[in-house]
Coordinates of all heavy atoms in Angstrom, one line a residue:
M99 N -5.8 -18.5 -2.0 CA -5.3 -17.4 -1.2 C -4.2 -16.7 -1.9 O -3.2 -17.3 -2.4 CB -4.8 -17.9 0.2 CG -4.4 -16.8 1.1 SD -3.7 -17.6 2.6 CE -3.1 -16.2 3.4
L100 N -4.3 -15.4 -2.1 CA -3.4 -14.7 -2.9 C -2.0 -14.7 -2.4 O -1.0 -14.8 -3.1 CB -3.9 -13.2 -3.1 CG -3.4 -12.5 -4.3 CD1 -3.7 -13.2 -5.6 CD2 -4.0 -11.1 -4.4
L101 N -1.8 -14.5 -1.1 CA -0.5 -14.5 -0.5 C 0.2 -15.8 -0.8 O 1.5 -15.8 -0.9 CB -0.6 -14.3 1.0 CG -0.5 -12.9 1.6 CD1 -0.4 -12.9 3.1 CD2 0.6 -12.1 1.0
T102 N -0.5 -16.9 -0.8 CA 0.1 -18.2 -1.1 C 0.7 -18.2 -2.5 O 1.8 -18.7 -2.7 CB -1.0 -19.3 -1.0 OG1 -1.5 -19.2 0.3 CG2 -0.4 -20.7 -1.1
E103 N -0.1 -17.7 -3.4 CA 0.4 -17.7 -4.8 C 1.6 -16.7 -4.9 O 2.6 -17.0 -5.6 CB -0.7 -17.3 -5.8 CG -0.3 -17.4 -7.2 CD -1.3 -17.1 -8.2 OE1 -2.5 -16.9 -7.8 OE2 -1.0 -17.0 -9.4
F104 N 1.5 -15.6 -4.2 CA 2.6 -14.6 -4.3 C 3.9 -15.2 -3.7 O 4.9 -15.1 -4.3 CB 2.1 -13.4 -3.4 CG 3.1 -12.3 -3.5 CD1 3.7 -11.9 -4.7 CD2 3.4 -11.5 -2.3 CE1 4.6 -10.8 -4.7 CE2 4.2 -10.4 -2.4 CZ 4.8 -10.1 -3.6
C105 N 3.7 -15.9 -2.6 CA 4.9 -16.6 -2.0 C 5.5 -17.6 -3.0 O 6.7 -17.7 -3.2 CB 4.5 -17.3 -0.7 SG 5.8 -18.2 0.0
T106 N 4.6 -18.4 -3.6 CA 5.1 -19.5 -4.5 C 5.9 -18.9 -5.7 O 6.8 -19.4 -6.1 CB 3.9 -20.3 -5.0 OG1 3.2 -20.8 -3.8 CG2 4.4 -21.5 -5.8
R107 N 5.3 -17.8 -6.1 CA 5.9 -17.2 -7.4 C 6.9 -16.1 -7.1 O 7.5 -15.5 -8.0 CB 4.8 -16.7 -8.3 CG 3.9 -17.9 -8.7 CD 2.9 -17.5 -9.7 NE 3.5 -16.7 -10.8 CZ 2.9 -15.8 -11.5 NH1 1.6 -15.6 -11.3 NH2 3.5 -15.2 -12.5
L108 N 7.2 -15.8 -5.8 CA 8.1 -14.7 -5.5 C 9.5 -14.8 -6.1 O 10.0 -13.9 -6.7 CB 8.1 -14.5 -4.0 CG 8.9 -13.3 -3.5 CD1 8.4 -12.0 -4.1 CD2 8.7 -13.2 -1.9
P109 N 10.1 -16.0 -6.0 CA 11.5 -16.2 -6.6 C 11.4 -15.9 -8.1 O 12.3 -15.2 -8.6 CB 11.8 -17.6 -6.3 CG 11.0 -18.0 -5.1 CD 9.7 -17.2 -5.2
E110 N 10.4 -16.4 -8.7 CA 10.3 -16.2 -10.2 C 10.1 -14.7 -10.5 O 10.7 -14.1 -11.4 CB 9.1 -17.0 -10.7 CG 8.7 -16.7 -12.1 CD 7.2 -16.6 -12.3 OE1 6.5 -17.4 -11.7 OE2 6.7 -15.7 -13.0
L111 N 9.2 -14.0 -9.7 CA 9.0 -12.6 -10.0 C 10.2 -11.8 -9.8 O 10.5 -10.9 -10.5 CB 7.9 -12.1 -9.0 CG 6.5 -12.5 -9.2 CD1 5.6 -12.1 -8.1 CD2 5.9 -12.0 -10.5
R112 N 11.0 -12.1 -8.7 CA 12.3 -11.4 -8.5 C 13.2 -11.6 -9.6 O 14.0 -10.7 -9.9 CB 12.9 -11.9 -7.2 CG 12.2 -11.3 -6.0 CD 12.7 -11.8 -4.7 NE 12.3 -11.0 -3.6 CZ 12.3 -11.3 -2.3 NH1 12.7 -12.6 -2.0 NH2 11.9 -10.5 -1.3
R113 N 13.2 -12.8 -10.2 CA 14.1 -13.0 -11.4 C 13.7 -12.3 -12.6 O 14.5 -11.8 -13.4 CB 14.2 -14.5 -11.7 CG 15.1 -15.3 -10.8 CD 15.4 -16.7 -11.5 NE 14.2 -17.4 -11.7 CZ 13.6 -18.3 -10.9 NH1 14.1 -18.4 -9.7 NH2 12.5 -18.9 -11.2
R114 N 12.4 -12.3 -12.8 CA 11.8 -11.8 -14.1 C 11.6 -10.3 -14.1 O 11.9 -9.7 -15.2 CB 10.5 -12.5 -14.2 CG 9.8 -12.3 -15.6 CD 8.7 -13.3 -15.8 NE 7.7 -13.4 -14.8 CZ 6.6 -12.6 -14.7 NH1 6.4 -11.7 -15.6 NH2 5.7 -12.8 -13.7
L115 N 11.2 -9.7 -13.0 CA 10.8 -8.3 -13.1 C 12.0 -7.4 -12.8 O 12.9 -7.7 -12.1 CB 9.7 -8.0 -12.1 CG 8.4 -8.8 -12.3 CD1 7.4 -8.4 -11.2 CD2 7.8 -8.4 -13.7
K116 N 12.0 -6.2 -13.5 CA 13.1 -5.3 -13.3 C 12.6 -3.9 -12.9 O 11.4 -3.6 -13.1 CB 13.8 -5.1 -14.7 CG 14.4 -6.4 -15.2 CD 15.9 -6.5 -15.0 CE 16.5 -7.8 -15.6 NZ 16.2 -9.0 -14.8
D117 N 13.5 -3.1 -12.4 CA 13.2 -1.7 -12.2 C 11.9 -1.4 -11.4 O 11.8 -1.9 -10.3 CB 13.2 -0.9 -13.5 CG 14.5 -1.2 -14.3 OD1 15.5 -1.3 -13.7 OD2 14.4 -1.2 -15.5
G118 N 11.0 -0.7 -12.0 CA 9.8 -0.2 -11.2 C 9.0 -1.4 -10.8 O 8.5 -1.4 -9.6
D119 N 8.8 -2.4 -11.6 CA 8.0 -3.5 -11.2 C 8.6 -4.3 -10.1 O 8.0 -4.8 -9.2 CB 7.8 -4.5 -12.4 CG 6.8 -3.9 -13.4 OD1 6.0 -3.0 -13.0 OD2 6.8 -4.3 -14.6
R120 N 9.9 -4.4 -10.1 CA 10.7 -5.1 -9.1 C 10.5 -4.3 -7.7 O 10.4 -5.0 -6.7 CB 12.2 -5.2 -9.5 CG 13.1 -5.8 -8.5 CD 12.8 -7.3 -8.3 NE 13.4 -7.7 -7.1 CZ 14.7 -8.2 -7.0 NH1 15.4 -8.3 -8.1 NH2 15.2 -8.5 -5.8
V121 N 10.5 -3.0 -7.8 CA 10.3 -2.2 -6.6 C 8.9 -2.5 -6.0 O 8.7 -2.6 -4.8 CB 10.5 -0.7 -6.9 CG1 10.0 0.2 -5.7 CG2 11.9 -0.4 -7.3
L122 N 7.9 -2.6 -6.9 CA 6.6 -2.9 -6.5 C 6.5 -4.3 -5.8 O 5.8 -4.4 -4.8 CB 5.6 -2.9 -7.7 CG 5.3 -1.6 -8.3 CD1 4.3 -1.8 -9.5 CD2 4.6 -0.6 -7.3
V123 N 7.3 -5.2 -6.3 CA 7.3 -6.6 -5.7 C 7.8 -6.4 -4.2 O 7.2 -7.0 -3.3 CB 8.2 -7.5 -6.5 CG1 8.5 -8.8 -5.7 CG2 7.6 -7.9 -7.8
E124 N 8.9 -5.7 -4.1 CA 9.5 -5.6 -2.7 C 8.6 -4.8 -1.8 O 8.5 -5.1 -0.6 CB 10.9 -5.0 -2.8 CG 11.9 -5.8 -3.6 CD 12.0 -7.3 -3.2 OE1 11.8 -7.6 -2.0 OE2 12.3 -8.1 -4.1
Q125 N 7.9 -3.8 -2.3 CA 6.9 -3.1 -1.5 C 5.8 -4.0 -1.0 O 5.4 -3.9 0.1 CB 6.4 -1.9 -2.3 CG 7.3 -0.7 -2.4 CD 6.8 0.4 -3.3 OE1 5.9 0.2 -4.0 NE2 7.5 1.5 -3.3
A126 N 5.4 -4.8 -1.9 CA 4.3 -5.8 -1.6 C 4.7 -6.7 -0.5 O 4.0 -7.1 0.4 CB 3.8 -6.5 -2.8
V127 N 6.0 -7.2 -0.6 CA 6.6 -8.1 0.4 C 6.6 -7.4 1.7 O 6.1 -8.0 2.7 CB 8.0 -8.5 0.0 CG1 8.7 -9.2 1.1 CG2 8.0 -9.5 -1.3
L128 N 7.1 -6.2 1.8 CA 7.1 -5.5 3.1 C 5.7 -5.3 3.7 O 5.5 -5.4 4.9 CB 7.9 -4.2 2.9 CG 9.4 -4.3 2.6 CD1 10.0 -2.9 2.4 CD2 10.1 -5.1 3.7
A129 N 4.8 -4.9 2.8 CA 3.4 -4.7 3.2 C 2.8 -6.0 3.8 O 2.2 -6.0 4.8 CB 2.6 -4.2 2.1
A130 N 3.1 -7.1 3.1 CA 2.6 -8.4 3.6 C 3.1 -8.8 4.9 O 2.4 -9.3 5.8 CB 2.9 -9.5 2.5
R131 N 4.4 -8.5 5.1 CA 5.1 -8.8 6.4 C 4.5 -7.9 7.5 O 4.4 -8.4 8.7 CB 6.6 -8.5 6.3 CG 7.3 -9.6 5.6 CD 8.8 -9.3 5.6 NE 9.4 -10.2 4.6 CZ 10.6 -10.0 4.1 NH1 11.4 -9.0 4.5 NH2 11.1 -10.8 3.2
D132 N 4.0 -6.7 7.2 CA 3.4 -5.9 8.2 C 1.9 -6.2 8.4 O 1.2 -5.5 9.2 CB 3.5 -4.4 7.7 CG 4.9 -3.8 7.9 OD1 5.7 -4.5 8.6 OD2 5.2 -2.8 7.4
G133 N 1.4 -7.2 7.6 CA 0.1 -7.6 7.7 C -0.9 -6.6 7.1 O -2.1 -6.6 7.4
K134 N -0.4 -5.8 6.2 CA -1.2 -4.9 5.4 C -1.8 -5.6 4.2 O -1.3 -6.5 3.7 CB -0.4 -3.7 4.9 CG 0.1 -2.8 6.1 CD 0.9 -1.7 5.5 CE 1.5 -0.9 6.7 NZ 2.9 -0.4 6.4
P135 N -3.0 -5.1 3.8 CA -3.6 -5.7 2.6 C -2.8 -5.5 1.3 O -2.3 -4.3 1.1 CB -5.0 -5.0 2.5 CG -4.9 -3.8 3.3 CD -3.8 -4.0 4.3
V136 N -2.5 -6.5 0.6 CA -1.7 -6.4 -0.6 C -2.4 -7.0 -1.8 O -1.8 -7.0 -2.9 CB -0.3 -7.2 -0.4 CG1 0.5 -6.5 0.6 CG2 -0.6 -8.6 -0.1
D137 N -3.6 -7.4 -1.7 CA -4.3 -8.1 -2.8 C -4.3 -7.3 -4.1 O -4.0 -7.9 -5.1 CB -5.8 -8.3 -2.4 CG -5.9 -9.5 -1.4 OD1 -4.8 -9.8 -0.8 OD2 -7.0 -10.0 -1.2
A138 N -4.6 -6.0 -4.1 CA -4.6 -5.3 -5.3 C -3.3 -5.2 -6.0 O -3.1 -5.5 -7.2 CB -5.2 -3.9 -5.1
K139 N -2.3 -4.9 -5.2 CA -0.9 -4.8 -5.7 C -0.4 -6.2 -6.3 O 0.1 -6.2 -7.4 CB 0.1 -4.5 -4.6 CG 0.3 -3.0 -4.3 CD 1.3 -2.9 -3.2 CE 1.1 -1.6 -2.4 NZ 1.9 -1.5 -1.2
V140 N -0.7 -7.2 -5.5 CA -0.2 -8.5 -5.9 C -0.9 -9.0 -7.1 O -0.3 -9.6 -8.0 CB -0.3 -9.5 -4.7 CG1 -0.1 -10.9 -5.1 CG2 0.7 -9.1 -3.6
S141 N -2.2 -8.8 -7.2 CA -3.0 -9.3 -8.4 C -2.4 -8.7 -9.6 O -2.2 -9.3 -10.7 CB -4.4 -8.9 -8.3 OG -5.0 -9.2 -7.1
Q142 N -2.0 -7.4 -9.5 CA -1.5 -6.6 -10.6 C -0.1 -7.3 -11.1 O 0.1 -7.5 -12.2 CB -1.3 -5.2 -10.2 CG -1.1 -4.2 -11.3 CD -0.7 -2.8 -10.8 OE1 -0.9 -2.6 -9.5 NE2 -0.2 -2.0 -11.6
L143 N 0.7 -7.6 -10.1 CA 2.0 -8.2 -10.4 C 1.9 -9.6 -11.0 O 2.7 -9.9 -11.9 CB 2.9 -8.2 -9.1 CG 3.3 -6.9 -8.5 CD1 3.9 -7.1 -7.1 CD2 4.4 -6.3 -9.4
L144 N 1.0 -10.4 -10.4 CA 0.9 -11.7 -10.8 C 0.2 -11.8 -12.2 O 0.5 -12.7 -13.0 CB 0.1 -12.6 -9.8 CG 0.7 -12.8 -8.5 CD1 -0.3 -13.5 -7.5 CD2 2.0 -13.5 -8.6
G145 N -0.6 -10.9 -12.5 CA -1.3 -10.9 -13.8 C -2.4 -11.9 -13.8 O -2.5 -12.7 -13.0
P146 N -3.3 -11.7 -14.8 CA -4.5 -12.6 -14.9 C -4.1 -14.0 -15.4 O -3.4 -14.1 -16.4 CB -5.4 -11.8 -15.8 CG -4.5 -11.1 -16.7 CD -3.3 -10.8 -15.9
G147 N -4.7 -15.0 -14.8 CA -4.7 -16.3 -15.4 C -3.3 -16.9 -15.6 O -3.2 -17.8 -16.5
V148 N -2.3 -16.5 -14.8 CA -1.0 -17.1 -15.0 C -1.0 -18.4 -14.2 O -1.4 -18.4 -13.0 CB 0.1 -16.1 -14.5 CG1 1.4 -16.8 -14.7 CG2 0.0 -14.9 -15.3
Q149 N -0.4 -19.4 -14.7 CA -0.4 -20.7 -14.0 C 0.8 -20.7 -13.1 O 1.8 -20.1 -13.3 CB -0.1 -21.8 -15.1 CG -1.3 -22.1 -16.0 CD -2.5 -22.5 -15.3 OE1 -2.5 -23.4 -14.5 NE2 -3.6 -21.9 -15.5
L150 N 0.6 -21.4 -12.0 CA 1.7 -21.6 -11.0 C 2.8 -22.4 -11.7 O 2.6 -23.3 -12.4 CB 1.2 -22.3 -9.8 CG 0.3 -21.6 -8.9 CD1 -0.1 -22.5 -7.7 CD2 0.9 -20.3 -8.3
T151 N 4.0 -21.9 -11.5 CA 5.1 -22.6 -12.2 C 5.6 -23.8 -11.3 O 6.2 -24.7 -11.9 CB 6.3 -21.7 -12.4 OG1 6.7 -21.1 -11.1 CG2 6.0 -20.6 -13.4
E152 N 5.4 -23.7 -10.1 CA 5.8 -24.8 -9.2 C 4.5 -25.5 -8.7 O 3.7 -24.8 -8.0 CB 6.5 -24.4 -8.0 CG 7.9 -23.9 -8.2 CD 8.5 -23.4 -6.9 OE1 8.2 -22.3 -6.4 OE2 9.3 -24.2 -6.3
V153 N 4.3 -26.7 -8.9 CA 3.2 -27.4 -8.3 C 3.7 -28.5 -7.5 O 4.4 -29.4 -8.0 CB 2.2 -27.9 -9.4 CG1 1.1 -28.6 -8.8 CG2 1.7 -26.7 -10.3
Y154 N 3.4 -28.5 -6.2 CA 3.8 -29.5 -5.3 C 2.6 -30.4 -5.0 O 1.5 -29.9 -4.7 CB 4.4 -28.9 -4.0 CG 5.7 -28.2 -4.2 CD1 5.7 -26.9 -4.5 CD2 6.9 -28.9 -4.1 CE1 6.9 -26.2 -4.6 CE2 8.1 -28.3 -4.3 CZ 8.1 -26.9 -4.5 OH 9.2 -26.3 -4.7
G155 N 2.8 -31.6 -4.9 CA 1.8 -32.5 -4.5 C 2.4 -33.6 -3.6 O 3.6 -33.8 -3.7
P156 N 1.6 -34.3 -2.9 CA 2.1 -35.4 -2.1 C 2.8 -36.4 -3.0 O 2.2 -36.8 -4.0 CB 0.9 -36.0 -1.3 CG -0.2 -35.0 -1.6 CD 0.1 -34.2 -2.8
S157 N 3.9 -36.9 -2.6 CA 4.5 -38.0 -3.4 C 4.7 -39.2 -2.5 O 4.4 -39.1 -1.3 CB 5.9 -37.5 -3.9 OG 6.7 -37.1 -2.9
T158 N 5.0 -40.3 -3.0 CA 5.1 -41.5 -2.2 C 6.1 -41.4 -1.2 O 7.2 -40.8 -1.4 CB 5.4 -42.7 -3.1 OG1 6.5 -42.4 -3.9 CG2 4.2 -43.1 -4.0
G159 N 5.8 -41.9 0.0 CA 6.8 -41.9 1.1 C 6.7 -40.6 1.9 O 7.5 -40.4 2.8
V160 N 5.8 -39.7 1.5 CA 5.7 -38.4 2.3 C 4.7 -38.6 3.4 O 3.7 -39.1 3.2 CB 5.2 -37.3 1.3 CG1 4.9 -36.0 2.1 CG2 6.3 -37.0 0.3
N161 N 5.2 -38.2 4.6 CA 4.2 -38.4 5.7 C 4.0 -37.1 6.5 O 3.8 -37.1 7.7 CB 4.7 -39.5 6.7 CG 6.2 -39.3 7.1 OD1 6.7 -38.2 6.8 ND2 6.8 -40.2 7.8
G162 N 4.1 -36.0 5.8 CA 3.9 -34.7 6.4 C 4.1 -33.7 5.4 O 4.5 -34.0 4.2
A163 N 4.0 -32.4 5.8 CA 4.2 -31.3 4.9 C 4.9 -30.2 5.6 O 4.9 -30.1 6.8 CB 2.8 -30.9 4.4
F164 N 5.4 -29.3 4.8 CA 6.1 -28.1 5.4 C 5.1 -26.9 5.3 O 4.5 -26.7 4.2 CB 7.4 -27.8 4.6 CG 8.5 -28.7 4.9 CD1 8.6 -29.9 4.2 CD2 9.4 -28.4 5.9 CE1 9.6 -30.8 4.5 CE2 10.4 -29.3 6.2 CZ 10.5 -30.5 5.5
L165 N 5.0 -26.2 6.3 CA 4.1 -25.0 6.4 C 4.8 -23.8 6.9 O 5.8 -23.9 7.6 CB 2.9 -25.3 7.4 CG 2.1 -26.6 7.2 CD1 1.1 -26.7 8.3 CD2 1.4 -26.6 5.8
C166 N 4.3 -22.6 6.5 CA 5.0 -21.4 6.9 C 4.7 -21.2 8.4 O 3.6 -21.3 8.9 CB 4.4 -20.2 6.2 SG 5.2 -18.7 6.5
P167 N 5.8 -20.9 9.2 CA 5.6 -20.8 10.7 C 4.8 -19.5 11.1 O 4.3 -19.4 12.2 CB 7.0 -20.7 11.2 CG 7.8 -20.2 10.1 CD 7.2 -20.8 8.8
T168 N 4.7 -18.6 10.1 CA 4.0 -17.3 10.5 C 2.5 -17.6 10.5 O 1.7 -16.8 11.1 CB 4.2 -16.2 9.5 OG1 3.7 -16.6 8.2 CG2 5.7 -15.9 9.3
G169 N 2.0 -18.6 9.7 CA 0.6 -18.9 9.6 C -0.1 -17.9 8.7 O -1.3 -18.0 8.4
K170 N 0.6 -16.9 8.2 CA 0.0 -15.9 7.3 C 0.0 -16.4 5.8 O -0.9 -16.1 5.0 CB 0.7 -14.6 7.4 CG 0.5 -13.9 8.7 CD 1.3 -12.6 8.7 CE 1.5 -12.0 10.1 NZ 2.6 -11.1 10.2
C171 N 1.1 -17.1 5.5 CA 1.3 -17.6 4.2 C 0.7 -19.0 4.2 O 1.1 -19.8 5.0 CB 2.7 -17.6 3.8 SG 3.1 -18.6 2.4
G172 N -0.2 -19.3 3.2 CA -0.9 -20.6 3.2 C -0.2 -21.7 2.4 O -0.8 -22.7 2.1
R173 N 1.0 -21.4 2.0 CA 1.7 -22.4 1.1 C 2.0 -23.7 1.8 O 2.4 -23.7 3.0 CB 3.0 -21.7 0.6 CG 3.7 -22.5 -0.4 CD 4.7 -21.6 -1.2 NE 5.8 -22.4 -1.7 CZ 7.1 -22.2 -1.3 NH1 7.4 -21.3 -0.5 NH2 8.0 -22.9 -1.9
V174 N 1.8 -24.8 1.2 CA 2.1 -26.1 1.7 C 3.1 -26.7 0.7 O 2.9 -26.8 -0.5 CB 0.9 -26.9 1.8 CG1 1.2 -28.3 2.3 CG2 -0.2 -26.3 2.7
V175 N 4.2 -27.2 1.2 CA 5.2 -27.8 0.4 C 5.4 -29.3 0.8 O 5.7 -29.6 2.0 CB 6.6 -27.1 0.4 CG1 7.6 -27.8 -0.4 CG2 6.4 -25.6 0.0
Y176 N 5.3 -30.2 -0.1 CA 5.6 -31.6 0.1 C 7.0 -31.8 -0.5 O 7.2 -31.7 -1.7 CB 4.6 -32.5 -0.6 CG 3.2 -32.3 -0.1 CD1 2.3 -31.4 -0.7 CD2 2.8 -32.9 1.1 CE1 1.0 -31.2 -0.3 CE2 1.5 -32.7 1.6 CZ 0.6 -31.9 0.9 OH -0.6 -31.7 1.4
R177 N 7.9 -32.1 0.4 CA 9.3 -32.2 0.0 C 9.6 -33.6 -0.5 O 9.2 -34.5 0.0 CB 10.2 -31.9 1.2 CG 11.7 -31.9 0.9 CD 12.4 -31.3 2.1 NE 13.8 -31.6 2.0 CZ 14.5 -32.5 2.8 NH1 13.8 -33.2 3.7 NH2 15.7 -32.7 2.7
R178 N 10.3 -33.6 -1.6 CA 10.6 -34.9 -2.2 C 12.1 -35.2 -1.8 O 12.9 -34.3 -1.5 CB 10.5 -34.8 -3.7 CG 9.1 -34.7 -4.2 CD 8.9 -34.1 -5.5 NE 9.3 -32.7 -5.5 CZ 9.0 -31.9 -6.5 NH1 8.3 -32.2 -7.5 NH2 9.5 -30.6 -6.4
A179 N 12.4 -36.4 -1.9 CA 13.8 -36.9 -1.5 C 14.8 -36.1 -2.3 O 14.6 -36.0 -3.6 CB 13.9 -38.4 -1.7
G180 N 15.8 -35.5 -1.7 CA 16.8 -34.8 -2.4 C 16.5 -33.3 -2.6 O 17.4 -32.6 -2.9
D181 N 15.3 -32.9 -2.3 CA 15.0 -31.5 -2.4 C 15.6 -30.7 -1.2 O 15.8 -31.3 -0.2 CB 13.4 -31.2 -2.3 CG 12.7 -31.6 -3.6 OD1 13.4 -31.9 -4.6 OD2 11.5 -31.6 -3.6
E182 N 15.9 -29.5 -1.4 CA 16.4 -28.7 -0.3 C 15.3 -28.4 0.6 O 14.1 -28.4 0.3 CB 17.0 -27.4 -0.8 CG 18.3 -27.6 -1.6 CD 18.9 -26.3 -2.0 OE1 18.5 -25.2 -1.5 OE2 19.8 -26.3 -2.8
L183 N 15.6 -28.0 1.9 CA 14.6 -27.7 2.8 C 13.9 -26.4 2.3 O 14.5 -25.5 1.9 CB 15.2 -27.4 4.2 CG 15.5 -28.6 5.0 CD1 16.2 -28.2 6.3 CD2 14.3 -29.4 5.4
P184 N 12.6 -26.4 2.3 CA 11.8 -25.3 1.8 C 11.8 -24.1 2.7 O 11.8 -24.2 3.9 CB 10.4 -25.8 1.5 CG 10.3 -27.0 2.5 CD 11.7 -27.5 2.7
V185 N 11.9 -22.9 2.1 CA 11.8 -21.7 2.9 C 10.6 -20.9 2.3 O 10.2 -21.0 1.2 CB 13.0 -20.8 2.8 CG1 14.2 -21.5 3.5 CG2 13.4 -20.4 1.4
C186 N 10.1 -20.0 3.2 CA 9.1 -19.0 2.7 C 9.8 -17.7 2.3 O 10.4 -17.1 3.1 CB 8.1 -18.7 3.8 SG 6.9 -17.4 3.4
P187 N 9.8 -17.4 1.0 CA 10.6 -16.2 0.5 C 9.9 -14.9 1.0 O 10.5 -13.9 1.1 CB 10.6 -16.4 -1.0 CG 9.4 -17.2 -1.3 CD 9.2 -18.1 -0.1
L188 N 8.6 -15.0 1.2 CA 7.8 -13.9 1.6 C 8.2 -13.4 3.0 O 8.4 -12.2 3.2 CB 6.3 -14.2 1.5 CG 5.3 -13.1 1.6 CD1 5.6 -12.0 0.6 CD2 3.9 -13.7 1.3
F189 N 8.3 -14.3 3.9 CA 8.6 -14.0 5.3 C 10.0 -14.3 5.7 O 10.5 -14.1 6.8 CB 7.6 -14.6 6.3 CG 6.2 -14.1 6.1 CD1 5.3 -14.8 5.4 CD2 5.8 -12.8 6.6 CE1 4.0 -14.3 5.2 CE2 4.6 -12.3 6.4 CZ 3.6 -13.1 5.7
E190 N 10.8 -14.9 4.7 CA 12.2 -15.3 5.0 C 12.3 -16.2 6.2 O 13.1 -15.9 7.1 CB 13.1 -14.1 5.0 CG 13.2 -13.5 3.6 CD 14.2 -12.3 3.6 OE1 14.5 -11.7 4.7 OE2 14.6 -11.9 2.5
R191 N 11.5 -17.2 6.2 CA 11.5 -18.2 7.3 C 11.6 -19.6 6.8 O 11.0 -19.9 5.7 CB 10.2 -18.0 8.2 CG 10.0 -16.7 8.8 CD 10.8 -16.5 10.0 NE 10.4 -17.4 11.1 CZ 9.4 -17.1 12.0 NH1 8.7 -15.9 11.9 NH2 9.1 -18.0 12.9
D192 N 12.3 -20.5 7.5 CA 12.3 -21.9 7.1 C 10.9 -22.4 7.4 O 10.3 -22.1 8.4 CB 13.3 -22.7 8.0 CG 14.7 -22.3 7.7 OD1 14.9 -21.8 6.6 OD2 15.5 -22.5 8.5
L193 N 10.4 -23.2 6.5 CA 9.1 -23.8 6.7 C 9.2 -24.8 7.8 O 10.2 -25.4 8.0 CB 8.5 -24.4 5.4 CG 8.3 -23.4 4.3 CD1 7.6 -24.1 3.1 CD2 7.5 -22.2 4.7
R194 N 8.1 -25.0 8.5 CA 8.1 -25.9 9.6 C 7.4 -27.2 9.2 O 6.4 -27.2 8.5 CB 7.2 -25.3 10.7 CG 7.1 -26.0 12.0 CD 6.5 -25.0 13.1 NE 5.3 -24.4 12.6 CZ 4.1 -24.8 12.8 NH1 3.9 -25.9 13.4 NH2 3.0 -24.2 12.3
F195 N 8.1 -28.3 9.6 CA 7.5 -29.6 9.2 C 6.4 -30.1 10.1 O 6.6 -30.0 11.3 CB 8.6 -30.7 9.2 CG 8.2 -32.1 8.7 CD1 8.0 -32.3 7.3 CD2 7.9 -33.1 9.6 CE1 7.5 -33.5 6.9 CE2 7.4 -34.3 9.1 CZ 7.2 -34.5 7.8
V196 N 5.3 -30.4 9.5 CA 4.2 -30.9 10.3 C 3.9 -32.3 9.8 O 3.5 -32.5 8.7 CB 2.9 -30.0 10.1 CG1 1.8 -30.5 10.9 CG2 3.3 -28.6 10.6
A197 N 4.0 -33.3 10.7 CA 3.7 -34.7 10.3 C 2.2 -35.0 10.3 O 1.5 -34.3 11.0 CB 4.4 -35.6 11.3
D198 N 1.9 -35.9 9.5 CA 0.5 -36.3 9.4 C 0.1 -37.0 10.7 O 0.9 -37.8 11.2 CB 0.2 -37.2 8.2 CG 0.3 -36.5 6.9 OD1 0.1 -35.3 6.9 OD2 0.5 -37.1 5.9
G199 N -1.1 -36.8 11.1 CA -1.8 -37.5 12.2 C -0.8 -38.0 13.2 O -0.9 -39.0 13.8
Ligands
ZN281 ZN1 5.3 -18.3 2.2

């Protein structure tokens, strides 16, 4: 899901892009919050075949995951001990903890 990748890479895009491209990022963020289609814009910003810089996977002792409370962003974060509470940069919301079973 493109929004998930966009959310995951948003902090990096904000750091890396400048000027016009940075404006495009913020326009895509606002459009996503309004529930408008952003696929074309976002694909352009993310570029082809770029690897995710952050990869989260379940680690030992994890018994649940953090999900975006809006339900629009499909990002799932497995928090490791010592990590800060995850937030969704796309919707500026704290992620909600959902315990397994
Ligand atoms: Zn998100």
Side-chain angles (χ1 to χ4, degrees):
M99 183 185 174
L100 201 57
L101 270 188
T102 304
E103 188 178 350
F104 187 41
C105 175
T106 306
R107 296 188 49 207
L108 187 53
E110 171 223 319
L111 290 172
R112 282 176 164 159
R113 278 194 305 272
R114 186 162 56 83
L115 300 177
K116 301 260 183 282
D117 307 326
D119 285 340
R120 177 67 197 272
V121 171
L122 289 178
V123 168
E124 300 307 330
Q125 283 173 348
V127 167
L128 293 177
R131 284 182 194 163
D132 284 349
K134 292 178 187 146
V136 294
D137 285 17
K139 274 185 207 167
V140 169
S141 309
Q142 199 187 343
L143 290 167
L144 292 175
V148 179
Q149 294 296 312
L150 290 179
T151 53
E152 287 179 282
V153 177
Y154 291 92
S157 54
T158 50
V160 172
N161 54 6
F164 287 88
L165 307 177
C166 185
T168 67
K170 291 180 198 157
C171 166
R173 186 160 153 243
V174 177
V175 178
Y176 298 96
R177 183 167 167 255
R178 289 156 297 195
D181 285 354
E182 290 184 16
L183 281 176
V185 296
C186 175
L188 194 51
F189 294 101
E190 290 180 344
R191 299 278 297 270
D192 291 338
L193 296 188
R194 185 167 48 92
F195 184 76
V196 178
D198 287 339

